[in-house]
Amino acid sequence: MFVLVALLVAHERHATPWRDLARDLGPVPPAFFLPLDARSKGAQTALETGPHGEKILWGYGPKTRLRFHTLAPMRLRLCYAFTSPVRDQTVAVAVNEHPVAAYDARKSGLPDDAGHPACRDFTSRAGDNRISFAYRAWNHGGDDFAADDPRPLAATFTMLQLLPVPGDPAVSP
């Protein structure tokens, strides 16, 4: 009996932080959640803190390429929010080389509010999948807005998520 009680107490000590984290996250996933592989290119590998204390991830020009793998086709939701320091920036978003969105800062603006991100649902293909954000210009590639920074900065992402579509029977347990 003593061993059983000791095991339950040890389990409770280790489980509490995970339960607290799950409670804190609730149904809202973190702002950056992408199961990417090492072949993704054109994105910063670490988060930075933006001018207002928010976490940001730089997308690099000319194109941010994100790669991931699924074992079978599944319904996924890509959600993102970004701004760009490039004047009159345009951004073309594609999934597996198929255009899903286009933004022109001169006309419609960019999806720049992480509280109201742009989301696109799609079906992945079995195997490798690609998401891309192609930019008109970037730092040292048509627009030199940060002369002291050698990185090809094109857009600051405040949200970038790839998650299963809720309620999809193909991904439900």
Side-chain angles (χ1 to χ4, degrees):
M1 181 68 168
F2 176 73
V3 173
L4 180 58
V5 170
L7 286 173
L8 288 174
V9 168
H11 171 72
E12 190 64 25
R13 272 193 215 143
H14 294 291
T16 300
W18 294 107
R19 205 173 36 238
D20 292 345
L21 177 63
R23 183 193 67 235
D24 292 343
L25 289 176
V28 180
F32 296 97
F33 185 81
L34 286 168
L36 305 177
D37 68 24
R39 295 169 293 172
S40 294
K41 296 180 180 179
Q44 181 178 344
T45 57
L47 297 176
E48 287 185 19
T49 302
H52 306 290
E54 74 280 19
K55 295 296 181 194
I56 62 168
L57 182 73
W58 279 103
Y60 296 157
K63 186 184 285 188
T64 299
R65 296 175 191 95
L66 309 172
R67 295 180 74 166
F68 64 97
H69 186 88
T70 56
L71 296 176
M74 62 186 294
R75 294 289 299 155
L76 295 171
R77 178 167 293 150
L78 171 66
C79 293
Y80 51 87
F82 60 85
T83 60
S84 179
V86 174
R87 185 179 189 95
D88 298 332
Q89 181 68 284
T90 62
V91 181
V93 184
V95 174
N96 292 326
E97 292 83 37
H98 298 288
V100 295
Y103 300 94
D104 186 336
R106 294 168 294 185
K107 296 177 184 173
S108 61
L110 302 175
D112 60 1
D113 181 357
H116 299 90
C119 292
R120 301 290 184 260
D121 290 356
F122 67 96
T123 301
S124 71
R125 55 188 179 203
D128 285 330
N129 291 267
R130 296 183 182 107
I131 298 168
S132 66
F133 295 84
Y135 312 103
R136 177 191 64 78
W138 54 94
N139 192 35
H140 310 300
D143 192 348
D144 294 340
F145 59 85
D148 295 340
D149 194 330
R151 298 177 295 172
L153 308 172
T156 55
F157 287 88
T158 54
M159 174 183 272
L160 191 52
Q161 301 173 337
L162 182 60
L163 301 166
V165 171
D168 184 356
V171 297
S172 298

